[in-house]
């Protein structure tokens, strides 16, 4: 076979292979790029840990990072002396590094600041003052030395709710305390507050906190931050922050001013949690504290395990 014949045969064969491949591609259809993942992984759709009364998808707790969603909690100092009236100054920085100066009110305030020692002692819920330059300031009671976690819970103008956390060291001898045991009732300033409910990880769990004084139910609680009670839950293992609010609000024609306040709390994992209830009566805000373990009832002892049945008596 001469060279021309060989070349012609090669060309015909190559054309046949190309045609076969083209036909296979047409049969399978054109390649379409996979769609981009449009799932919103934000944890602030309704505010960190926020509950509206219905079961919600699992959310990560807030306050575990000093920077989140483009915002940074910048404390003026990370260490302060112990004292009863210690000034704390901080700024919320945007993605451009500049202080944020415009906020949206949430529960009657532009920013909620929570300070608590890492052993869950010394809990405080305060509301700092913002100056024109974007610096917040507030005095804290830091008579108990140790390592504190400071949470800033806010909604920037045009953005979603964010909770940021930063560590604050209070100089002095640190005497850490064990987590208080699970209990169904606690007493604060002569008020007895009882808790009924369980925490089920990954589900909106209803808990009811009821207030009494002198053995009589309190039925004239006063609104505080737009509700008859304000609840903060912290995960004991890492101080993950869940900000929850009652089912209903004053003036809705349904919600009563006590003695019971219903909350829906979604815990992201099993384990111990510390709950702090702020309530107002006779013009004074008081805080009742509880420990709960996700998956266990409030203060109720687990039933004893059944004794094994004798051999041969199974069903």
């Amino acid at each position: 076979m001469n060279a021309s014949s060989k070349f012609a045969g090669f060309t015909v064969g190559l054309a046949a292979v190309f045609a076969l491949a083209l036909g296979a591609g047409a049969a399978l259809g054109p390649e379409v790029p996979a769609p981009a993942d449009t799932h919103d992984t934000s944890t602030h759709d309704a505010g960190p840990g926020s509950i509206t009364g219905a079961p919600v998808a699992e959310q990560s707790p807030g306050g575990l990072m000093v920077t989140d969603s483009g915002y940074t909690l910048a404390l003026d100092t990370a260490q302060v002396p112990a004292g009863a009236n210690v000034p704390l100054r901080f700024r919320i920085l945007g993605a451009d590094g500049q202080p944020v100066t415009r906020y949206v009110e949430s529960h009657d305030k532009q920013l909620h600041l929570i300070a608590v020692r890492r052993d869950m002692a010394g809990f405080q819920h305060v509301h700092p003052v913002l100056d024109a330059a974007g610096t917040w300031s507030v005095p804290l009671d830091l008579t108990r030395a140790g390592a504190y976690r400071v949470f800033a819970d806010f909604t920037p103008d045009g953005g979603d709710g964010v909770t940021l956390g930063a560590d604050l060291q209070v100089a002095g001898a640190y005497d850490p305390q064990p987590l208080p045991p699970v209990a169904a009732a606690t007493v604060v300033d002569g008020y007895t507050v009882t808790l009924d409910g369980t925490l089920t990880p990954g589900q909106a769990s209803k808990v009811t906190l009821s207030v009494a004084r002198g053995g009589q139910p309190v039925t004239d609680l006063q609104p505080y931050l737009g509700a008859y009670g304000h609840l903060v839950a912290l995960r004991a293992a890492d101080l993950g922050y869940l900000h929850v609010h009652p089912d209903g609000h004053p003036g809705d024609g349904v919600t009563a001013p006590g003695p019971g306040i219903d909350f829906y709390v979604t815990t992201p994992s099993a384990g111990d949690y510390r709950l702090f209830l702020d309530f107002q009566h006779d013009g004074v805000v008081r805080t009742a504290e509880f420990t709960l373990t996700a998956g266990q009832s409030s203060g109720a002892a687990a039933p004893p395990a059944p004794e094994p049945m004798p051999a041969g008596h199974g069903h």
Side-chain angles (χ1 to χ4, degrees):
M1 183 182 293
N2 56 33
S4 298
S5 299
K6 289 181 179 180
F7 181 76
F10 174 77
T11 302
V12 172
L14 184 61
V17 171
F18 178 77
L20 181 62
L22 184 61
L28 294 173
E31 181 179 357
V32 179
D37 183 5
T38 58
H39 176 63
D40 183 5
T41 58
S42 170
T43 62
H44 304 295
D45 293 341
S50 293
I51 304 301
T52 59
V56 297
E58 179 178 343
Q59 300 183 38
S60 298
L64 295 178
M65 296 184 290
V66 70
T67 297
D68 191 14
S69 302
Y71 298 94
T72 299
L73 171 56
L75 301 180
D76 270 14
T77 179
Q79 182 168 335
V80 295
N85 197 28
V86 179
L88 179 72
R89 291 166 52 88
F90 64 93
R91 294 169 296 158
I92 303 297
L93 305 179
D96 58 0
Q98 298 300 310
V100 177
T101 58
R102 298 180 62 183
Y103 297 82
V104 176
E105 279 197 2
S106 175
H107 308 291
D108 293 344
K109 299 294 180 180
Q110 289 188 328
L111 185 144
H112 300 261
L113 188 82
I114 305 298
V116 64
R117 208 168 67 168
R118 281 199 167 270
D119 61 354
M120 300 290 188
F123 175 87
Q124 296 169 76
H125 176 185
V126 295
H127 302 105
V129 176
L130 177 66
D131 67 17
T135 296
W136 295 91
S137 58
V138 66
L140 293 177
D141 181 359
L142 300 176
T143 52
R144 306 176 71 170
Y148 282 72
R149 189 68 173 173
V150 175
F151 301 93
D153 181 357
F154 62 93
T155 301
D157 186 31
D160 295 326
V162 183
T163 300
L164 304 175
D167 287 336
L168 179 67
Q169 303 297 327
V170 179
Y174 178 32
D175 181 23
Q177 300 297 311
L179 188 70
V182 173
T186 188
V187 177
V188 53
D189 291 344
Y191 291 81
T192 299
V193 183
T194 57
L195 187 152
D196 179 41
T198 60
L199 299 179
T200 302
Q203 296 183 17
S205 305
K206 181 179 179 180
V207 295
T208 299
L209 292 138
S210 299
V211 183
R213 182 170 65 170
Q216 298 299 314
V218 174
T219 58
D220 57 346
L221 291 172
Q222 298 165 321
Y224 175 62
L225 303 177
Y228 287 125
H230 184 283
L231 185 67
V232 169
L234 298 176
R235 183 165 59 185
D238 58 2
L239 272 66
Y241 177 97
L242 304 176
H243 202 170
V244 294
H245 289 277
D247 185 18
H249 58 84
D252 61 8
V254 177
T255 306
I261 316 167
D262 294 333
F263 294 87
Y264 287 87
V265 184
T266 295
T267 51
S269 62
D272 292 330
Y273 290 81
R274 191 74 170 152
L275 274 59
F276 302 89
L277 170 71
D278 292 330
F279 66 95
Q280 183 169 248
H281 190 244
D282 287 346
V284 179
V285 177
R286 299 169 174 86
T287 303
E289 305 181 5
F290 294 87
T291 299
L292 279 183
T293 301
Q296 294 183 4
S297 60
S298 56
E307 296 183 3
M309 297 184 67
H313 286 76
H315 293 287

